[in-house]
Amino acid sequence: MNEQDRPLNTDASPAGEPEAVVVGIDGSPPSRNALAWAIQEARSLNKPIRLVGAYTIPSVAAAAIDVSYVPIDDTSIRAAVTNTLKEAAAEVRAAGVPVEAVIEIGDAAGVLIDESKSGLLNVVGSRGRGGFAGRLLGTVSSALPAHSACPTVVVPASWEADAEKTAHPTSSRPIRQDGVEIEEPDPDTEAIEGIRFDGKVVVGVDSLGAESPALWKAARLAVRRGSPLHIVAVITTTVIGPEWLPSTADLERLVNEGADKLVVAKQRLKDEFPNLDVTWTLFDGQPAEVLVRASDTADVLVIGSRGRGGFAGLLLGSTSQSVLPYSQCPTMVVRVARDHGRRRQDGEIPEPGL
């Protein structure tokens, strides 16, 4: 992409700042929500913000072979994007955060994926005017979380930092909880009151347990925010067919193994971050529901984009629409390499956090 495609805001900080917080801007209320969250995060990271506006030029098919090419004038489109970026840049500067702004010609998701190669974090709103968020939650909903070189945070359109939060009923039940005795649920009750996670960073982990990159990203995020961290994991004990009829002993072993992984994960975090308040809950239910219901009251939800069982493939498969569109809090998606567990067994160092 040539320099003409990337005019910089003349009021911005030096161009190409490495490890900036990248924010997709389309002028919609959701993108302004994303910017508000990104400003807070950039402050805690002591990093600049890089505002990115993108647009595509409509293509015109020739009606006959002898029709001459007529260049399309994108002046008005570019002017609108420029004005939107200038307004956003002014808001960032007013907050005391260094900022730069660029305009890209191209697909919104592709542009942000390209920007992620030098960015520390991608931040977008959950819905927009066919811009970044439309690509996230449209037909290519997996594009940005699946291919971004850095974590992606999706900020819901309805998110407000100080809004009152409601814990909605859930059919997924806690079966083990750190330091809490779980009461035996009424088997005739279809839904129970959801657990509240007010003021906490919540992270979903799968069988990677303490080796999950999402866990460590979430821990560093919680440390920076001065927030407690709550780890959630899910097992499913529901009998869905005769091919799996577990005995009571099998179920008990499954629950114990899940709880043991969470105990180890907590201890590993406490070894690294002694002052971090860490708790955990093991649920019996469906991963998507657990995540969405946790987002009802959590400050931030963090999840890996790939895994093994539990949350495996949750954000990249058919159930992705069950999480991002309905999450009620900013949700960070951390890519997890398919061979992450094997590489850790081979002695690779932990993935660095934000």
Side-chain angles (χ1 to χ4, degrees), residues 250-307:
D250 290 333
L251 290 176
E252 185 68 16
R253 185 177 68 254
L254 181 64
V255 171
N256 288 337
E257 289 175 353
D260 289 346
K261 283 183 176 291
L262 294 175
V263 170
V264 171
K266 175 180 176 176
Q267 187 56 54
R268 289 277 301 277
L269 291 179
K270 295 295 289 185
D271 290 343
E272 183 72 19
F273 308 106
N275 296 323
L276 178 61
D277 181 1
V278 183
T279 51
W280 56 263
T281 301
L282 179 65
F283 287 88
D284 179 7
Q286 298 301 318
E289 184 192 23
V290 170
L291 288 174
V292 173
R293 293 285 69 89
S295 77
D296 287 339
T297 55
D299 275 10
V300 183
L301 176 67
V302 182
I303 187 164
S305 63
R306 294 180 184 273

Side-chain angles (χ1 to χ4, degrees), residues 60-329:
V60 179
I65 196 169
D66 60 345
V67 174
S68 302
Y69 169 74
V70 179
I72 296 175
D73 185 3
D74 66 344
T75 303
S76 61
I77 301 176
R78 180 179 287 273
V81 175
T82 299
N83 289 336
T84 297
L85 289 176
K86 284 183 176 180
E87 291 175 2
E91 182 178 344
V92 177
R93 284 196 300 274
V97 177
V99 60
E100 67 174 344
V102 297
I103 298 176
E104 298 274 12
I105 299 177
D107 172 80
V111 166
L112 276 182
I113 290 169
D114 187 54
E115 290 289 342
S116 74
K117 296 172 184 176
S118 60
L120 183 66
L121 186 68
N122 264 335
V123 184
V124 294
S126 63
R127 298 190 184 276
R129 296 199 284 238
F132 295 102
R135 297 312 305 254
L136 271 175
L137 301 180
T139 57
V140 290
S141 60
S142 65
L144 189 54
H147 301 290
S148 175
C150 65
T152 298
V153 174
V154 181
V155 182
S158 59
W159 175 78
E160 295 180 18
D162 301 319
E164 185 176 348
K165 301 174 181 179
T166 301
H168 294 92
T170 175
S171 61
S172 297
R173 304 166 186 271
I175 50 177
R176 293 284 178 86
Q177 194 166 14
D178 187 23
V180 177
E181 189 71 26
I182 300 294
E183 296 182 3
E184 191 69 25
D186 183 349
D188 296 326
T189 302
E190 293 185 0
I192 61 173
E193 183 178 350
I195 296 177
R196 297 196 67 92
F197 298 105
D198 300 85
K200 297 181 179 180
V201 173
V202 176
V203 57
V205 298
D206 58 11
S207 64
L208 285 174
E211 311 301 332
S212 168
L215 178 70
W216 294 94
K217 298 287 188 186
R220 289 174 169 86
L221 175 64
V223 168
R224 290 198 312 275
R225 297 172 65 93
S227 303
L229 176 67
H230 196 94
I231 312 168
V232 299
V234 183
I235 61 173
T236 301
T237 63
T238 304
V239 177
I240 58 176
E243 65 275 5
W244 188 61
L245 295 173
S247 65
T248 300
D250 290 333
L251 290 176
E252 185 68 16
R253 185 177 68 254
L254 181 64
V255 171
N256 288 337
E257 289 175 353
D260 289 346
K261 283 183 176 291
L262 294 175
V263 170
V264 171
K266 175 180 176 176
Q267 187 56 54
R268 289 277 301 277
L269 291 179
K270 295 295 289 185
D271 290 343
E272 183 72 19
F273 308 106
N275 296 323
L276 178 61
D277 181 1
V278 183
T279 51
W280 56 263
T281 301
L282 179 65
F283 287 88
D284 179 7
Q286 298 301 318
E289 184 192 23
V290 170
L291 288 174
V292 173
R293 293 285 69 89
S295 77
D296 287 339
T297 55
D299 275 10
V300 183
L301 176 67
V302 182
I303 187 164
S305 63
R306 294 180 184 273
R308 305 170 180 168
F311 291 98
L314 186 60
L315 292 172
L316 299 180
S318 61
T319 58
S320 63
Q321 299 302 317
S322 300
V323 181
L324 289 178
Y326 299 106
S327 178
Q328 298 300 304
C329 71

Side-chain angles (χ1 to χ4, degrees), residues 17-22 47-50 100 118-122 150:
E17 177 71 31
E19 294 197 337
V21 175
V22 178
K47 292 291 185 179
I49 282 179
R50 182 174 174 86
E100 67 174 344
S118 60
L120 183 66
L121 186 68
N122 264 335
C150 65

